[in-house]
Amino acid sequence: MTSSPAKISVLIPSFNQDHFLLKTLATIAKQSVPPHEVIIMDGGSTDHTRQVVEAYGNLVTTFVSDPDGGQLDGLQKALASATGDI
């Protein structure tokens, strides 16, 4: 009998880091065990973040782009909306 894997949530706080976000999402997409949800909390970026997220639209389950209080605030907001076990 095999048990189902734990539900995996990937939390990504971001602000004007489109090139890092692109690499992050590309790496997540290559994983042999895909996450069940990818949550990106963006602090209101003015770069190409939205276009990067749209390019990986089937992978990203939640994308919020609003001004926030910084990286920790974005991470806390992502954690509050996460439903995964890990």
Side-chain angles (χ1 to χ4, degrees):
M1 182 172 137
T2 60
S3 62
S4 61
K7 184 174 182 182
I8 300 170
S9 300
V10 176
L11 314 178
I12 305 170
S14 182
F15 179 67
N16 286 335
Q17 297 294 317
D18 57 358
H19 55 290
F20 292 115
L21 185 59
L22 179 62
K23 290 179 182 182
T24 300
L25 293 174
T27 299
I28 292 169
K30 292 178 185 177
Q31 298 303 304
S32 60
V33 177
H36 292 86
E37 63 184 355
V38 175
I39 302 169
I40 301 173
M41 290 294 170
D42 175 67
S45 293
T46 57
D47 61 0
H48 295 98
T49 293
R50 185 169 300 278
Q51 290 87 344
V52 169
V53 172
E54 289 171 358
Y56 284 91
N58 59 332
L59 181 66
V60 178
T61 54
T62 303
F63 174 62
V64 176
S65 183
D66 290 320
D68 59 27
Q71 186 174 10
L72 179 59
D73 185 39
L75 188 58
Q76 289 173 330
K77 288 177 181 178
L79 185 58
S81 68
T83 62
D85 302 311
I86 298 174

